[in-house]
Amino acid sequence: MNYISTRDKSIKVSAAKAIAQGISAEGGLFVPDTFPLFTEDDFNALKKLDYKGRAKYVLSNFLNDFTEEEVDYCVNGAYTGTFDNELPAPMSAVGENQKILELWHGPTCAFKDLALQILPYLLTTAAKKVNGGKKAVILVATSGDTGKAALEGFKDVENTEILVFYPSDGVSPMQKLQMDTQKGDNVHVCAIKGNFDDAQSGVKKIFTDNAVKEKLLENGMLFSSANSINWGRLVPQIVYYISAYCDLLAEDEKIKENGFNVVVPTGNFGNILAAYYAKKMGVPVNKLICASNANNVLTDFIRTGKYDRNRDFYTTITPSMDILISSNLERMLFELSNNDDKFVARLQANLAENGTFTVDGEVKEKLGELFWAGCCDDKATVETVAKYFGEYGYLVDTHTAVALDVYNQYLKETGDDRTVVVASTASPYKFVRSVLEAVSDKAVDNEFENAKILSEVTNTEIPEQIKALETAEVRFNELRNKDEMLASVYANLRIEN
Ligand SMILES: *Cc1c(COP(=O)(O)O)cnc(C)c1O
C-alpha cells in the first residue's frame, strides 16, 4: 500500500512519508491507494483481543513501512496508563438500541486523545525514517480540543516543537485554560483574533509556502501537522469503530446481518470519515449520520449537493464544531468520485476562490446513499442534554447532545431503529457551564464551582485533569492578528526573518 494525494495521484509516498510530511506539497491530502478488506475471520480474531491488540492489527495494515516492533512500540506507548481503566473506548447502553461510544477517557477529556496520544509516536518513528534527523515542527489550528490533545501528546517529545493557534473568542473557558497552562519545553500557544477557519487557513498557507519551508530547512527543521489533514490522525480513529463493532459482535452475532448506524457530531469531517473507512473495510455500518450545529454547511451539502461556506458564522455551545470549511471532506470527495484527482482539485479550487462547489449525478447519489445529515441549534442541544439525563440518568456533553438530537430526527423521519453507535466526543465537564445549565438552575460564574455543582447534582465524578486546572499556572498569553501567524511561528522558533 502506498499513499497518494487527493489532488494529484501521480504523487506516491510511503506511510512514513505521508505522516511525517502531513500534507502533500500541492495542498492535497494523503490517502491510501488501496484499503484492506477485513473478513469474518479477521473480525472473529479481533473480537478476542483487547483495544491495543485491535489497534496493532488495524495499524499494521496501513503502515506499510513500519516494522511490527515499531507498531507495537507506538500502540503500547499511546494506550498504556493514559486512559481511565485502560479502556480507551468503552461503550455505554442507553435505552434499547443506543450505544454511546465514550471517546473521552483520555488525558484531555475529548476524543482527539485517541489519535493524539499515538500520533507523536507515529510521527517520530516516521521522521526517523524520512526526515534525516531534522526537527519536526508541528503546526496546529484548533477549535479547542485538538490543540490541548496535541500539546499533551507532543510535550517534551524529543526533536519536536509544537505551535498551537486557537481563535481567541472561539473556545470554551475550560479549553482556553487547558491550553494556556500547558507544561513542556517544546510547546507554544497563541490565540488569534479570528475564527477557527482563519486559524486553519493560516496554518495551511504557512505549510505550503515554499519560502517558509526553505527558511525552516536552513534551520534544520521541517513542518508537520497534527490536524486531521494528517493521515496519522485518521488511522487510529478507524480503530475505535472497528473495536466498537467487535464489542457489538461479542454481545450478539446478529449485528453482522442487521448492521448498525453510526452518528457523529461533525466539524472537520475527520471522525465521521474514519467511520466511513471502517465501513469500507467491512464493518456493517448502515447509515453514517452526520450531525452539525447551527454551522450546518455539511447538512446542506449532504442534502443538496451544494457546499457553500458563504454564510453567517455562529459561535455556539459546541465550539469544536464551529467550522465552515471541513477539510476532510476532500478525502470523501476523492472516494465518491472513484479517486478522480482532477475533479477534487477543481472543487477545492472553486472552494478557495468562491467559497462554494456543487456535486451532482453519481457523486451526489452516492453521498445520499452513504450519509444522512441533520443539524440542531443551541436550544435543542441543551434540551437534549436535559432529556438524556432526565430519561436515562446519562449525562452527555453538548457535542454528543447534537449527535443525539440529530439521531432522534433521523429515527423520526425514517423509523430505522436498528442499533446505533453514537460517537461521544467529550466529557460533560469540558463544557461544564452549558451542561450544568441544562440540568439545573444553579450555574454560577466560576467554571470550577460549576464543576463541583454539576458533580453534586448529577452524581458524576469531575475528571482529575479538570480539577488540576484550577491551580495550574498560566504560561501563555500571546494574542495576534490572523495575518501575524507566520511572525509568531518565526518568533517562537527563534528564527530570524
Ligand atoms: C473535534 C471535535 C468534534 C468534531 O470532530 P471532527 O473530526 O472535526 O468532525 C466534535 N466534538 C468534539 C468534542 C470535538 O473535539
mmCIF file of all heavy atoms in Angstrom, residues 110-112 145 265-271 320-321 397 399 425-426 431, ligand 1:
data_model
loop_
_atom_site.group_PDB
_atom_site.id
_atom_site.type_symbol
_atom_site.label_atom_id
_atom_site.label_comp_id
_atom_site.label_asym_id
_atom_site.label_seq_id
_atom_site.Cartn_x
_atom_site.Cartn_y
_atom_site.Cartn_z
ATOM 1 N N ALA A 110 -11.312 14.600 25.605
ATOM 2 C CA ALA A 110 -12.018 14.664 24.323
ATOM 3 C C ALA A 110 -11.529 13.527 23.424
ATOM 4 O O ALA A 110 -10.463 12.953 23.664
ATOM 5 C CB ALA A 110 -11.780 15.998 23.630
ATOM 6 N N PHE A 111 -12.305 13.215 22.382
ATOM 7 C CA PHE A 111 -11.956 12.054 21.548
ATOM 8 C C PHE A 111 -10.632 12.230 20.817
ATOM 9 O O PHE A 111 -10.025 11.258 20.375
ATOM 10 C CB PHE A 111 -13.090 11.762 20.543
ATOM 11 C CG PHE A 111 -13.006 12.523 19.262
ATOM 12 C CD1 PHE A 111 -12.335 11.988 18.162
ATOM 13 C CD2 PHE A 111 -13.590 13.772 19.125
ATOM 14 C CE1 PHE A 111 -12.257 12.679 16.964
ATOM 15 C CE2 PHE A 111 -13.505 14.487 17.925
ATOM 16 C CZ PHE A 111 -12.834 13.931 16.850
ATOM 17 N N LYS A 112 -10.166 13.471 20.696
ATOM 18 C CA LYS A 112 -8.914 13.723 19.990
ATOM 19 C C LYS A 112 -7.740 12.947 20.617
ATOM 20 O O LYS A 112 -6.759 12.653 19.949
ATOM 21 C CB LYS A 112 -8.578 15.217 20.003
ATOM 22 C CG LYS A 112 -9.669 16.165 19.523
ATOM 23 C CD LYS A 112 -9.934 16.068 18.047
ATOM 24 C CE LYS A 112 -10.620 17.271 17.434
ATOM 25 N NZ LYS A 112 -11.968 17.575 17.943
ATOM 26 N N ASP A 145 -10.266 21.469 21.096
ATOM 27 C CA ASP A 145 -9.862 20.173 21.642
ATOM 28 C C ASP A 145 -8.592 19.602 21.013
ATOM 29 O O ASP A 145 -7.771 18.994 21.697
ATOM 30 C CB ASP A 145 -11.007 19.172 21.508
ATOM 31 C CG ASP A 145 -12.145 19.500 22.458
ATOM 32 O OD1 ASP A 145 -11.879 20.104 23.512
ATOM 33 O OD2 ASP A 145 -13.301 19.165 22.146
ATOM 34 N N PRO A 265 -21.015 13.671 15.793
ATOM 35 C CA PRO A 265 -21.051 15.141 15.800
ATOM 36 C C PRO A 265 -19.842 15.659 15.013
ATOM 37 O O PRO A 265 -18.702 15.349 15.352
ATOM 38 C CB PRO A 265 -20.947 15.492 17.289
ATOM 39 C CG PRO A 265 -20.287 14.338 17.938
ATOM 40 C CD PRO A 265 -20.587 13.122 17.103
ATOM 41 N N THR A 266 -20.109 16.419 13.970
ATOM 42 C CA THR A 266 -19.079 16.626 12.950
ATOM 43 C C THR A 266 -18.657 18.078 12.804
ATOM 44 O O THR A 266 -19.484 18.984 12.850
ATOM 45 C CB THR A 266 -19.612 16.101 11.600
ATOM 46 O OG1 THR A 266 -19.971 14.727 11.763
ATOM 47 C CG2 THR A 266 -18.564 16.196 10.524
ATOM 48 N N GLY A 267 -17.345 18.267 12.639
ATOM 49 C CA GLY A 267 -16.811 19.597 12.390
ATOM 50 C C GLY A 267 -15.946 19.567 11.146
ATOM 51 O O GLY A 267 -16.334 19.974 10.054
ATOM 52 N N ASN A 268 -14.758 19.017 11.320
ATOM 53 C CA ASN A 268 -13.805 18.959 10.215
ATOM 54 C C ASN A 268 -13.975 17.695 9.366
ATOM 55 O O ASN A 268 -13.207 17.452 8.449
ATOM 56 C CB ASN A 268 -12.388 19.002 10.784
ATOM 57 C CG ASN A 268 -11.552 20.063 10.117
ATOM 58 O OD1 ASN A 268 -11.895 20.566 9.054
ATOM 59 N ND2 ASN A 268 -10.440 20.398 10.728
ATOM 60 N N PHE A 269 -14.944 16.866 9.684
ATOM 61 C CA PHE A 269 -15.284 15.653 8.944
ATOM 62 C C PHE A 269 -14.263 14.518 9.134
ATOM 63 O O PHE A 269 -14.284 13.524 8.417
ATOM 64 C CB PHE A 269 -15.457 15.961 7.441
ATOM 65 C CG PHE A 269 -16.439 15.065 6.727
ATOM 66 C CD1 PHE A 269 -17.805 15.269 6.865
ATOM 67 C CD2 PHE A 269 -16.017 14.020 5.927
ATOM 68 C CE1 PHE A 269 -18.715 14.448 6.223
ATOM 69 C CE2 PHE A 269 -16.923 13.189 5.268
ATOM 70 C CZ PHE A 269 -18.277 13.413 5.413
ATOM 71 N N GLY A 270 -13.384 14.646 10.133
ATOM 72 C CA GLY A 270 -12.383 13.600 10.339
ATOM 73 C C GLY A 270 -12.968 12.357 10.994
ATOM 74 O O GLY A 270 -12.766 11.233 10.517
ATOM 75 N N ASN A 271 -13.705 12.566 12.065
ATOM 76 C CA ASN A 271 -14.234 11.450 12.830
ATOM 77 C C ASN A 271 -15.229 10.625 12.016
ATOM 78 O O ASN A 271 -15.182 9.391 12.004
ATOM 79 C CB ASN A 271 -14.891 12.012 14.099
ATOM 80 C CG ASN A 271 -14.992 10.997 15.210
ATOM 81 O OD1 ASN A 271 -14.532 9.868 15.083
ATOM 82 N ND2 ASN A 271 -15.615 11.395 16.296
ATOM 83 N N SER A 320 -16.285 23.057 19.220
ATOM 84 C CA SER A 320 -15.423 22.186 18.419
ATOM 85 C C SER A 320 -16.049 21.854 17.067
ATOM 86 O O SER A 320 -15.435 21.193 16.234
ATOM 87 C CB SER A 320 -15.122 20.901 19.187
ATOM 88 O OG SER A 320 -14.480 21.231 20.385
ATOM 89 N N MET A 321 -17.289 22.288 16.873
ATOM 90 C CA MET A 321 -17.946 22.066 15.583
ATOM 91 C C MET A 321 -18.263 23.377 14.874
ATOM 92 O O MET A 321 -18.983 23.388 13.892
ATOM 93 C CB MET A 321 -19.249 21.287 15.799
ATOM 94 C CG MET A 321 -19.017 19.932 16.446
ATOM 95 S SD MET A 321 -20.478 19.314 17.289
ATOM 96 C CE MET A 321 -21.538 19.001 15.888
ATOM 97 N N ASP A 397 -22.063 15.553 27.055
ATOM 98 C CA ASP A 397 -21.594 16.914 26.774
ATOM 99 C C ASP A 397 -22.426 17.494 25.629
ATOM 100 O O ASP A 397 -23.252 16.795 25.022
ATOM 101 C CB ASP A 397 -20.094 16.896 26.409
ATOM 102 C CG ASP A 397 -19.882 16.858 24.917
ATOM 103 O OD1 ASP A 397 -20.224 15.817 24.324
ATOM 104 O OD2 ASP A 397 -19.440 17.861 24.340
ATOM 105 N N HIS A 399 -21.621 18.478 22.544
ATOM 106 C CA HIS A 399 -21.373 17.933 21.194
ATOM 107 C C HIS A 399 -22.096 16.601 21.007
ATOM 108 O O HIS A 399 -22.714 16.351 19.979
ATOM 109 C CB HIS A 399 -19.870 17.755 20.967
ATOM 110 C CG HIS A 399 -19.096 19.039 21.101
ATOM 111 N ND1 HIS A 399 -18.825 19.593 22.323
ATOM 112 C CD2 HIS A 399 -18.573 19.873 20.180
ATOM 113 C CE1 HIS A 399 -18.164 20.724 22.148
ATOM 114 N NE2 HIS A 399 -17.994 20.930 20.853
ATOM 115 N N THR A 425 -18.028 12.568 22.095
ATOM 116 C CA THR A 425 -16.712 13.124 21.782
ATOM 117 C C THR A 425 -16.043 13.911 22.904
ATOM 118 O O THR A 425 -14.866 14.228 22.803
ATOM 119 C CB THR A 425 -16.810 14.017 20.528
ATOM 120 O OG1 THR A 425 -17.909 14.918 20.690
ATOM 121 C CG2 THR A 425 -17.028 13.175 19.286
ATOM 122 N N ALA A 426 -16.784 14.254 23.959
ATOM 123 C CA ALA A 426 -16.129 14.998 25.040
ATOM 124 C C ALA A 426 -16.789 14.703 26.383
ATOM 125 O O ALA A 426 -17.971 14.344 26.449
ATOM 126 C CB ALA A 426 -16.161 16.501 24.773
ATOM 127 N N PHE A 431 -17.399 21.216 29.010
ATOM 128 C CA PHE A 431 -18.332 22.277 28.602
ATOM 129 C C PHE A 431 -19.333 22.453 29.740
ATOM 130 O O PHE A 431 -20.547 22.406 29.566
ATOM 131 C CB PHE A 431 -18.982 21.900 27.267
ATOM 132 C CG PHE A 431 -17.946 21.632 26.218
ATOM 133 C CD1 PHE A 431 -17.474 20.352 25.969
ATOM 134 C CD2 PHE A 431 -17.360 22.691 25.540
ATOM 135 C CE1 PHE A 431 -16.459 20.119 25.049
ATOM 136 C CE2 PHE A 431 -16.336 22.477 24.626
ATOM 137 C CZ PHE A 431 -15.889 21.186 24.382
HETATM 138 C C1 LIG B 1 -13.149 17.847 17.162
HETATM 139 C C2 LIG B 1 -14.444 17.612 17.802
HETATM 140 C C3 LIG B 1 -15.588 17.310 17.058
HETATM 141 C C4 LIG B 1 -15.589 17.296 15.547
HETATM 142 O O1 LIG B 1 -14.805 16.244 15.021
HETATM 143 P P1 LIG B 1 -14.313 16.287 13.500
HETATM 144 O O2 LIG B 1 -13.405 15.122 13.354
HETATM 145 O O3 LIG B 1 -13.603 17.597 13.339
HETATM 146 O O4 LIG B 1 -15.509 16.202 12.641
HETATM 147 C C5 LIG B 1 -16.759 17.020 17.740
HETATM 148 N N1 LIG B 1 -16.810 17.052 19.091
HETATM 149 C C6 LIG B 1 -15.743 17.348 19.843
HETATM 150 C C7 LIG B 1 -15.880 17.394 21.323
HETATM 151 C C8 LIG B 1 -14.508 17.633 19.237
HETATM 152 O O5 LIG B 1 -13.438 17.917 19.988
#
